Structure formats: C-alpha cells, structure tokens
Amino acid sequence: MIRAVREDKALVVRILVAAFAPNKEDNSINFVVKQDKKRLARMQVLMGYLFEKAMSSGEVFLSDNRACCLLINYPHKERMTGRMLKATVQLAFQCIGIERIFKVLERQKLVKGNHPPEHHIRPLIFGVKSEFKGGVTAPRLIMQVFDDFSDNELPVIIDTVSDYNLKLYQKFGFRVYGKEDSLGFPMYFLRLN
C-alpha cells in the first residue's frame, strides 16, 4: 500500500475515470456528472475534486502496483483552502453545470443528513483499473487499509447505490443503518465500528 502524494493526482484521476466511465446506470457519479458529450472531461473534474478533498482532509491510498486507489475523508477535518475553493468552483461549472447545482446540493444534504453527527471516517471513492478487476489487487488494498486502521475507534461510514457494493461491504463487516429512495434509485448507508 502506498500513501499518495500530490504528484499522484493524474494517476488517481485516470484510475477513477477508467473505473467509472463504462458505467452508465444510475449511481452517485452519474448523478453528479452532467451527462452530455463532455462526460469524460466532466468525470475528470469530479475525480480531481475528490482527490483534492481527500488530500485536504483525509488520505489517498494506492495499491502497490498502482492499479487501484481508495480515497478517504475525515469530515471533522474539512476546511476550505484556496485549492479546495478552486476545485469546488471547477466542479460546479465544469462538471455539474449551473442548472443542476441545486439538485446535486440536495443530494449532498441528504447524504450528510444520513451520516452520524460524531466524528467518523468516510471513504469517498474506490476504483480499480478494468484489467485488474476480479483479481487480488482491490481486495488486497482494502485489507491493507483495514489493517492500517485496526486501532481506529472512529466509525467508518459508506453510502452506495450498487447492490454489488452493498454485498461486498457487508462481507467486510459493514451493516446497513439506513436507506434512502428519494433520488429515484436506492441509496444505502452502511457503518463499520
């Protein structure tokens, strides 16, 4: 496991875009990203924003072979920096689109309202290059991060819209504590610890 540094941003963005670009079904990424001919460029902006958020108030982990990444946020450590302000403005104008900003803000309010008020850890996004899916790279990174956090006392909070991810997270010991259907697709909220 490698703790990413700023110079890894382009790699992390490439991994995440490659992992999520083929998926056209309802999910959190496609909800945020304006769906038009600029979809891939818009996804790059979103993934760059998530990288900046994780570097600002969390951590970014890469697999040893640099084919997989996990971005983690500590919401209680969030603060607005110049870099985050720039990334947020780019997200609004170059990814979401002004006409959809209130819809995305409503989603964020819904998500935040379902997270516990106490300090917690929130994995933001996890991606693996397609040629490594189904192999040991992704599970190995998850297990290494779990081992690294073995002494952690903070709960880990995840939300997902994917039935596949729901089952995967439950195998790792997460339990569902909430479900939301108001976005047009089910969103599950899970907790570990």
Side-chain angles (χ1 to χ4, degrees):
M1 172 180 77
I2 301 165
R3 278 187 162 80
V5 295
R6 289 235 169 256
E7 292 75 25
D8 293 315
K9 181 177 182 176
L11 171 64
V12 170
V13 168
R14 277 195 310 274
I15 291 170
L16 293 172
V17 170
F20 288 93
N23 190 342
K24 305 277 173 118
E25 62 191 37
D26 287 339
N27 62 40
S28 296
I29 301 299
N30 288 330
F31 185 84
V32 172
V33 175
K34 184 175 181 179
Q35 301 297 301
D36 62 10
K37 64 183 181 193
K38 297 179 182 177
R39 180 175 177 265
L40 288 179
R42 295 180 191 284
M43 286 184 87
Q44 289 174 339
V45 172
L46 173 62
M47 302 315 176
Y49 168 83
L50 293 174
F51 179 87
E52 291 299 337
K53 185 171 183 135
M55 291 299 285
S56 173
S57 58
E59 298 180 81
V60 177
F61 299 96
L62 287 164
S63 59
D64 291 328
N65 63 1
R66 296 181 167 267
C68 177
C69 62
L70 172 61
L71 285 66
I72 293 178
N73 183 39
Y74 307 114
H76 59 281
K77 293 184 178 182
E78 286 182 2
R79 61 195 189 333
M80 187 55 72
T81 64
R83 195 181 294 259
M84 275 309 302
L85 180 60
K86 179 182 176 187
T88 302
V89 170
Q90 285 177 322
L91 180 70
F93 287 97
Q94 297 174 9
C95 176
I96 299 169
I98 297 304
E99 68 280 358
R100 299 176 55 256
I101 199 80
F102 292 109
K103 187 176 178 181
V104 172
L105 287 173
E106 186 63 33
R107 179 202 175 276
Q108 288 307 102
K109 181 179 174 185
L110 178 87
V111 168
K112 194 170 187 170
N114 278 282
H115 286 182
E118 78 250 33
H119 290 183
H120 59 277
I121 299 168
R122 182 172 182 233
L124 293 172
I125 193 166
F126 177 77
V128 60
K129 290 180 180 177
S130 59
E131 62 266 26
F132 290 89
K133 285 185 179 174
V136 298
T137 297
R140 182 178 294 140
L141 178 60
I142 291 171
M143 294 309 298
Q144 288 171 332
V145 172
F146 272 35
D147 287 347
D148 195 54
F149 282 88
S150 62
D151 293 333
N152 168 58
E153 294 182 10
L154 295 177
V156 180
I157 305 299
I158 293 179
D159 52 80
T160 186
V161 300
S162 162
D163 288 331
Y164 174 81
N165 288 347
L166 175 65
K167 291 173 185 162
L168 177 67
Y169 296 144
Q170 288 175 321
K171 285 182 184 177
F172 281 107
F174 284 86
R175 62 178 173 71
V176 175
Y177 71 86
K179 181 181 176 189
E180 183 62 55
D181 290 308
S182 65
L183 297 174
F185 51 86
M187 178 179 284
Y188 300 94
F189 297 91
L190 299 98
R191 178 183 179 123
L192 179 69
N193 198 1

PDB file of all heavy atoms in Angstrom, residues 124-150:
ATOM      1  N   LEU A 124     -14.475   8.051   0.242  1.00  0.00           N
ATOM      2  CA  LEU A 124     -15.139   8.845  -0.792  1.00  0.00           C
ATOM      3  C   LEU A 124     -15.387   8.041  -2.056  1.00  0.00           C
ATOM      4  O   LEU A 124     -16.458   8.107  -2.640  1.00  0.00           O
ATOM      5  CB  LEU A 124     -14.286  10.067  -1.148  1.00  0.00           C
ATOM      6  CG  LEU A 124     -14.133  11.118  -0.076  1.00  0.00           C
ATOM      7  CD1 LEU A 124     -13.102  12.167  -0.499  1.00  0.00           C
ATOM      8  CD2 LEU A 124     -15.472  11.781   0.198  1.00  0.00           C
ATOM      9  N   ILE A 125     -14.366   7.328  -2.487  1.00  0.00           N
ATOM     10  CA  ILE A 125     -14.467   6.596  -3.742  1.00  0.00           C
ATOM     11  C   ILE A 125     -13.349   5.571  -3.807  1.00  0.00           C
ATOM     12  O   ILE A 125     -12.278   5.760  -3.239  1.00  0.00           O
ATOM     13  CB  ILE A 125     -14.425   7.562  -4.952  1.00  0.00           C
ATOM     14  CG1 ILE A 125     -14.856   6.861  -6.238  1.00  0.00           C
ATOM     15  CG2 ILE A 125     -13.066   8.226  -5.078  1.00  0.00           C
ATOM     16  CD1 ILE A 125     -15.171   7.825  -7.384  1.00  0.00           C
ATOM     17  N   PHE A 126     -13.632   4.493  -4.497  1.00  0.00           N
ATOM     18  CA  PHE A 126     -12.687   3.396  -4.664  1.00  0.00           C
ATOM     19  C   PHE A 126     -12.724   3.003  -6.133  1.00  0.00           C
ATOM     20  O   PHE A 126     -13.802   2.859  -6.700  1.00  0.00           O
ATOM     21  CB  PHE A 126     -13.128   2.222  -3.777  1.00  0.00           C
ATOM     22  CG  PHE A 126     -12.274   1.001  -3.913  1.00  0.00           C
ATOM     23  CD1 PHE A 126     -11.035   0.943  -3.304  1.00  0.00           C
ATOM     24  CD2 PHE A 126     -12.705  -0.089  -4.637  1.00  0.00           C
ATOM     25  CE1 PHE A 126     -10.250  -0.183  -3.411  1.00  0.00           C
ATOM     26  CE2 PHE A 126     -11.930  -1.216  -4.750  1.00  0.00           C
ATOM     27  CZ  PHE A 126     -10.697  -1.264  -4.133  1.00  0.00           C
ATOM     28  N   GLY A 127     -11.577   2.862  -6.755  1.00  0.00           N
ATOM     29  CA  GLY A 127     -11.553   2.480  -8.161  1.00  0.00           C
ATOM     30  C   GLY A 127     -10.386   1.566  -8.477  1.00  0.00           C
ATOM     31  O   GLY A 127      -9.340   1.631  -7.833  1.00  0.00           O
ATOM     32  N   VAL A 128     -10.597   0.727  -9.472  1.00  0.00           N
ATOM     33  CA  VAL A 128      -9.557  -0.194  -9.915  1.00  0.00           C
ATOM     34  C   VAL A 128      -9.573  -0.227 -11.440  1.00  0.00           C
ATOM     35  O   VAL A 128     -10.637  -0.193 -12.055  1.00  0.00           O
ATOM     36  CB  VAL A 128      -9.754  -1.601  -9.299  1.00  0.00           C
ATOM     37  CG1 VAL A 128     -11.085  -2.213  -9.685  1.00  0.00           C
ATOM     38  CG2 VAL A 128      -8.611  -2.528  -9.645  1.00  0.00           C
ATOM     39  N   LYS A 129      -8.392  -0.258 -12.037  1.00  0.00           N
ATOM     40  CA  LYS A 129      -8.301  -0.364 -13.496  1.00  0.00           C
ATOM     41  C   LYS A 129      -9.009  -1.629 -13.945  1.00  0.00           C
ATOM     42  O   LYS A 129      -8.920  -2.672 -13.285  1.00  0.00           O
ATOM     43  CB  LYS A 129      -6.840  -0.397 -13.944  1.00  0.00           C
ATOM     44  CG  LYS A 129      -6.100   0.904 -13.765  1.00  0.00           C
ATOM     45  CD  LYS A 129      -4.663   0.761 -14.239  1.00  0.00           C
ATOM     46  CE  LYS A 129      -3.885   2.050 -14.076  1.00  0.00           C
ATOM     47  NZ  LYS A 129      -2.470   1.892 -14.480  1.00  0.00           N
ATOM     48  N   SER A 130      -9.687  -1.555 -15.077  1.00  0.00           N
ATOM     49  CA  SER A 130     -10.528  -2.672 -15.528  1.00  0.00           C
ATOM     50  C   SER A 130      -9.751  -3.973 -15.697  1.00  0.00           C
ATOM     51  O   SER A 130     -10.267  -5.043 -15.390  1.00  0.00           O
ATOM     52  CB  SER A 130     -11.255  -2.311 -16.822  1.00  0.00           C
ATOM     53  OG  SER A 130     -10.329  -2.000 -17.836  1.00  0.00           O
ATOM     54  N   GLU A 131      -8.514  -3.898 -16.144  1.00  0.00           N
ATOM     55  CA  GLU A 131      -7.747  -5.142 -16.346  1.00  0.00           C
ATOM     56  C   GLU A 131      -7.369  -5.823 -15.037  1.00  0.00           C
ATOM     57  O   GLU A 131      -6.921  -6.980 -15.038  1.00  0.00           O
ATOM     58  CB  GLU A 131      -6.499  -4.894 -17.211  1.00  0.00           C
ATOM     59  CG  GLU A 131      -5.498  -3.939 -16.619  1.00  0.00           C
ATOM     60  CD  GLU A 131      -5.677  -2.491 -17.078  1.00  0.00           C
ATOM     61  OE1 GLU A 131      -6.803  -2.105 -17.448  1.00  0.00           O
ATOM     62  OE2 GLU A 131      -4.678  -1.756 -17.043  1.00  0.00           O
ATOM     63  N   PHE A 132      -7.577  -5.147 -13.912  1.00  0.00           N
ATOM     64  CA  PHE A 132      -7.271  -5.731 -12.612  1.00  0.00           C
ATOM     65  C   PHE A 132      -8.532  -6.104 -11.822  1.00  0.00           C
ATOM     66  O   PHE A 132      -8.434  -6.612 -10.715  1.00  0.00           O
ATOM     67  CB  PHE A 132      -6.402  -4.776 -11.786  1.00  0.00           C
ATOM     68  CG  PHE A 132      -5.011  -4.628 -12.320  1.00  0.00           C
ATOM     69  CD1 PHE A 132      -4.721  -3.657 -13.265  1.00  0.00           C
ATOM     70  CD2 PHE A 132      -4.002  -5.471 -11.911  1.00  0.00           C
ATOM     71  CE1 PHE A 132      -3.443  -3.514 -13.777  1.00  0.00           C
ATOM     72  CE2 PHE A 132      -2.715  -5.344 -12.412  1.00  0.00           C
ATOM     73  CZ  PHE A 132      -2.436  -4.362 -13.360  1.00  0.00           C
ATOM     74  N   LYS A 133      -9.708  -5.833 -12.394  1.00  0.00           N
ATOM     75  CA  LYS A 133     -10.953  -6.191 -11.710  1.00  0.00           C
ATOM     76  C   LYS A 133     -11.071  -7.704 -11.609  1.00  0.00           C
ATOM     77  O   LYS A 133     -10.735  -8.422 -12.534  1.00  0.00           O
ATOM     78  CB  LYS A 133     -12.164  -5.614 -12.455  1.00  0.00           C
ATOM     79  CG  LYS A 133     -12.319  -4.141 -12.237  1.00  0.00           C
ATOM     80  CD  LYS A 133     -13.577  -3.608 -12.865  1.00  0.00           C
ATOM     81  CE  LYS A 133     -13.677  -2.120 -12.583  1.00  0.00           C
ATOM     82  NZ  LYS A 133     -14.777  -1.494 -13.256  1.00  0.00           N
ATOM     83  N   GLY A 134     -11.567  -8.164 -10.484  1.00  0.00           N
ATOM     84  CA  GLY A 134     -11.733  -9.595 -10.271  1.00  0.00           C
ATOM     85  C   GLY A 134     -10.475 -10.282  -9.773  1.00  0.00           C
ATOM     86  O   GLY A 134     -10.498 -11.454  -9.433  1.00  0.00           O
ATOM     87  N   GLY A 135      -9.380  -9.551  -9.699  1.00  0.00           N
ATOM     88  CA  GLY A 135      -8.127 -10.121  -9.207  1.00  0.00           C
ATOM     89  C   GLY A 135      -7.932  -9.825  -7.731  1.00  0.00           C
ATOM     90  O   GLY A 135      -8.880  -9.528  -7.002  1.00  0.00           O
ATOM     91  N   VAL A 136      -6.697  -9.859  -7.298  1.00  0.00           N
ATOM     92  CA  VAL A 136      -6.385  -9.663  -5.883  1.00  0.00           C
ATOM     93  C   VAL A 136      -6.016  -8.229  -5.541  1.00  0.00           C
ATOM     94  O   VAL A 136      -5.913  -7.886  -4.365  1.00  0.00           O
ATOM     95  CB  VAL A 136      -5.239 -10.607  -5.433  1.00  0.00           C
ATOM     96  CG1 VAL A 136      -5.650 -12.058  -5.597  1.00  0.00           C
ATOM     97  CG2 VAL A 136      -3.954 -10.324  -6.180  1.00  0.00           C
ATOM     98  N   THR A 137      -5.821  -7.383  -6.556  1.00  0.00           N
ATOM     99  CA  THR A 137      -5.359  -6.013  -6.312  1.00  0.00           C
ATOM    100  C   THR A 137      -6.311  -5.234  -5.419  1.00  0.00           C
ATOM    101  O   THR A 137      -5.902  -4.666  -4.404  1.00  0.00           O
ATOM    102  CB  THR A 137      -5.154  -5.263  -7.645  1.00  0.00           C
ATOM    103  OG1 THR A 137      -4.118  -5.924  -8.380  1.00  0.00           O
ATOM    104  CG2 THR A 137      -4.760  -3.826  -7.426  1.00  0.00           C
ATOM    105  N   ALA A 138      -7.582  -5.176  -5.764  1.00  0.00           N
ATOM    106  CA  ALA A 138      -8.548  -4.391  -4.997  1.00  0.00           C
ATOM    107  C   ALA A 138      -8.742  -4.947  -3.584  1.00  0.00           C
ATOM    108  O   ALA A 138      -8.642  -4.188  -2.606  1.00  0.00           O
ATOM    109  CB  ALA A 138      -9.870  -4.302  -5.750  1.00  0.00           C
ATOM    110  N   PRO A 139      -9.018  -6.247  -3.434  1.00  0.00           N
ATOM    111  CA  PRO A 139      -9.177  -6.767  -2.065  1.00  0.00           C
ATOM    112  C   PRO A 139      -7.917  -6.591  -1.208  1.00  0.00           C
ATOM    113  O   PRO A 139      -8.011  -6.307  -0.009  1.00  0.00           O
ATOM    114  CB  PRO A 139      -9.480  -8.251  -2.265  1.00  0.00           C
ATOM    115  CG  PRO A 139      -9.983  -8.365  -3.661  1.00  0.00           C
ATOM    116  CD  PRO A 139      -9.308  -7.273  -4.431  1.00  0.00           C
ATOM    117  N   ARG A 140      -6.753  -6.730  -1.826  1.00  0.00           N
ATOM    118  CA  ARG A 140      -5.504  -6.561  -1.071  1.00  0.00           C
ATOM    119  C   ARG A 140      -5.392  -5.130  -0.544  1.00  0.00           C
ATOM    120  O   ARG A 140      -5.043  -4.916   0.623  1.00  0.00           O
ATOM    121  CB  ARG A 140      -4.297  -6.903  -1.939  1.00  0.00           C
ATOM    122  CG  ARG A 140      -2.981  -6.782  -1.163  1.00  0.00           C
ATOM    123  CD  ARG A 140      -1.773  -7.174  -1.986  1.00  0.00           C
ATOM    124  NE  ARG A 140      -1.848  -8.589  -2.291  1.00  0.00           N
ATOM    125  CZ  ARG A 140      -1.519  -9.128  -3.459  1.00  0.00           C
ATOM    126  NH1 ARG A 140      -1.090  -8.371  -4.441  1.00  0.00           N
ATOM    127  NH2 ARG A 140      -1.605 -10.422  -3.655  1.00  0.00           N
ATOM    128  N   LEU A 141      -5.700  -4.136  -1.387  1.00  0.00           N
ATOM    129  CA  LEU A 141      -5.629  -2.747  -0.929  1.00  0.00           C
ATOM    130  C   LEU A 141      -6.625  -2.499   0.204  1.00  0.00           C
ATOM    131  O   LEU A 141      -6.282  -1.888   1.217  1.00  0.00           O
ATOM    132  CB  LEU A 141      -5.877  -1.757  -2.081  1.00  0.00           C
ATOM    133  CG  LEU A 141      -5.866  -0.281  -1.675  1.00  0.00           C
ATOM    134  CD1 LEU A 141      -4.519   0.121  -1.081  1.00  0.00           C
ATOM    135  CD2 LEU A 141      -6.212   0.614  -2.865  1.00  0.00           C
ATOM    136  N   ILE A 142      -7.831  -2.979   0.058  1.00  0.00           N
ATOM    137  CA  ILE A 142      -8.837  -2.801   1.105  1.00  0.00           C
ATOM    138  C   ILE A 142      -8.353  -3.426   2.414  1.00  0.00           C
ATOM    139  O   ILE A 142      -8.446  -2.815   3.481  1.00  0.00           O
ATOM    140  CB  ILE A 142     -10.201  -3.389   0.680  1.00  0.00           C
ATOM    141  CG1 ILE A 142     -10.807  -2.544  -0.451  1.00  0.00           C
ATOM    142  CG2 ILE A 142     -11.161  -3.445   1.865  1.00  0.00           C
ATOM    143  CD1 ILE A 142     -12.037  -3.143  -1.084  1.00  0.00           C
ATOM    144  N   MET A 143      -7.821  -4.628   2.347  1.00  0.00           N
ATOM    145  CA  MET A 143      -7.343  -5.296   3.560  1.00  0.00           C
ATOM    146  C   MET A 143      -6.154  -4.554   4.170  1.00  0.00           C
ATOM    147  O   MET A 143      -6.058  -4.444   5.399  1.00  0.00           O
ATOM    148  CB  MET A 143      -6.978  -6.755   3.272  1.00  0.00           C
ATOM    149  CG  MET A 143      -8.179  -7.618   2.895  1.00  0.00           C
ATOM    150  SD  MET A 143      -9.582  -7.507   4.033  1.00  0.00           S
ATOM    151  CE  MET A 143      -8.873  -8.122   5.529  1.00  0.00           C
ATOM    152  N   GLN A 144      -5.264  -4.023   3.340  1.00  0.00           N
ATOM    153  CA  GLN A 144      -4.125  -3.270   3.859  1.00  0.00           C
ATOM    154  C   GLN A 144      -4.591  -1.996   4.570  1.00  0.00           C
ATOM    155  O   GLN A 144      -4.076  -1.649   5.635  1.00  0.00           O
ATOM    156  CB  GLN A 144      -3.147  -2.928   2.729  1.00  0.00           C
ATOM    157  CG  GLN A 144      -2.378  -4.124   2.226  1.00  0.00           C
ATOM    158  CD  GLN A 144      -1.577  -3.814   0.966  1.00  0.00           C
ATOM    159  OE1 GLN A 144      -1.920  -2.949   0.175  1.00  0.00           O
ATOM    160  NE2 GLN A 144      -0.477  -4.559   0.779  1.00  0.00           N
ATOM    161  N   VAL A 145      -5.564  -1.318   3.981  1.00  0.00           N
ATOM    162  CA  VAL A 145      -6.093  -0.111   4.616  1.00  0.00           C
ATOM    163  C   VAL A 145      -6.804  -0.482   5.916  1.00  0.00           C
ATOM    164  O   VAL A 145      -6.623   0.178   6.947  1.00  0.00           O
ATOM    165  CB  VAL A 145      -7.024   0.668   3.661  1.00  0.00           C
ATOM    166  CG1 VAL A 145      -7.732   1.807   4.394  1.00  0.00           C
ATOM    167  CG2 VAL A 145      -6.232   1.211   2.473  1.00  0.00           C
ATOM    168  N   PHE A 146      -7.598  -1.548   5.896  1.00  0.00           N
ATOM    169  CA  PHE A 146      -8.269  -2.005   7.129  1.00  0.00           C
ATOM    170  C   PHE A 146      -7.228  -2.324   8.204  1.00  0.00           C
ATOM    171  O   PHE A 146      -7.419  -1.957   9.360  1.00  0.00           O
ATOM    172  CB  PHE A 146      -9.123  -3.243   6.846  1.00  0.00           C
ATOM    173  CG  PHE A 146     -10.528  -2.938   6.413  1.00  0.00           C
ATOM    174  CD1 PHE A 146     -10.836  -1.841   5.638  1.00  0.00           C
ATOM    175  CD2 PHE A 146     -11.559  -3.769   6.783  1.00  0.00           C
ATOM    176  CE1 PHE A 146     -12.124  -1.568   5.245  1.00  0.00           C
ATOM    177  CE2 PHE A 146     -12.865  -3.517   6.394  1.00  0.00           C
ATOM    178  CZ  PHE A 146     -13.147  -2.409   5.623  1.00  0.00           C
ATOM    179  N   ASP A 147      -6.164  -3.012   7.842  1.00  0.00           N
ATOM    180  CA  ASP A 147      -5.108  -3.326   8.808  1.00  0.00           C
ATOM    181  C   ASP A 147      -4.477  -2.048   9.366  1.00  0.00           C
ATOM    182  O   ASP A 147      -4.188  -1.952  10.556  1.00  0.00           O
ATOM    183  CB  ASP A 147      -4.026  -4.201   8.169  1.00  0.00           C
ATOM    184  CG  ASP A 147      -4.473  -5.627   7.951  1.00  0.00           C
ATOM    185  OD1 ASP A 147      -5.529  -6.028   8.514  1.00  0.00           O
ATOM    186  OD2 ASP A 147      -3.796  -6.354   7.197  1.00  0.00           O
ATOM    187  N   ASP A 148      -4.271  -1.071   8.484  1.00  0.00           N
ATOM    188  CA  ASP A 148      -3.668   0.193   8.892  1.00  0.00           C
ATOM    189  C   ASP A 148      -4.563   0.929   9.891  1.00  0.00           C
ATOM    190  O   ASP A 148      -4.083   1.652  10.750  1.00  0.00           O
ATOM    191  CB  ASP A 148      -3.413   1.066   7.650  1.00  0.00           C
ATOM    192  CG  ASP A 148      -2.474   2.220   7.922  1.00  0.00           C
ATOM    193  OD1 ASP A 148      -1.359   1.972   8.415  1.00  0.00           O
ATOM    194  OD2 ASP A 148      -2.864   3.375   7.659  1.00  0.00           O
ATOM    195  N   PHE A 149      -5.870   0.734   9.771  1.00  0.00           N
ATOM    196  CA  PHE A 149      -6.835   1.389  10.647  1.00  0.00           C
ATOM    197  C   PHE A 149      -7.304   0.469  11.777  1.00  0.00           C
ATOM    198  O   PHE A 149      -8.306   0.759  12.427  1.00  0.00           O
ATOM    199  CB  PHE A 149      -8.058   1.851   9.841  1.00  0.00           C
ATOM    200  CG  PHE A 149      -7.831   3.111   9.064  1.00  0.00           C
ATOM    201  CD1 PHE A 149      -7.312   3.074   7.781  1.00  0.00           C
ATOM    202  CD2 PHE A 149      -8.137   4.342   9.623  1.00  0.00           C
ATOM    203  CE1 PHE A 149      -7.108   4.230   7.062  1.00  0.00           C
ATOM    204  CE2 PHE A 149      -7.939   5.511   8.912  1.00  0.00           C
ATOM    205  CZ  PHE A 149      -7.415   5.450   7.625  1.00  0.00           C
ATOM    206  N   SER A 150      -6.604  -0.607  12.048  1.00  0.00           N
ATOM    207  CA  SER A 150      -7.072  -1.598  13.022  1.00  0.00           C
ATOM    208  C   SER A 150      -7.245  -1.024  14.427  1.00  0.00           C
ATOM    209  O   SER A 150      -8.090  -1.489  15.187  1.00  0.00           O
ATOM    210  CB  SER A 150      -6.136  -2.807  13.057  1.00  0.00           C
ATOM    211  OG  SER A 150      -4.838  -2.411  13.474  1.00  0.00           O
TER     212      SER A 150
END
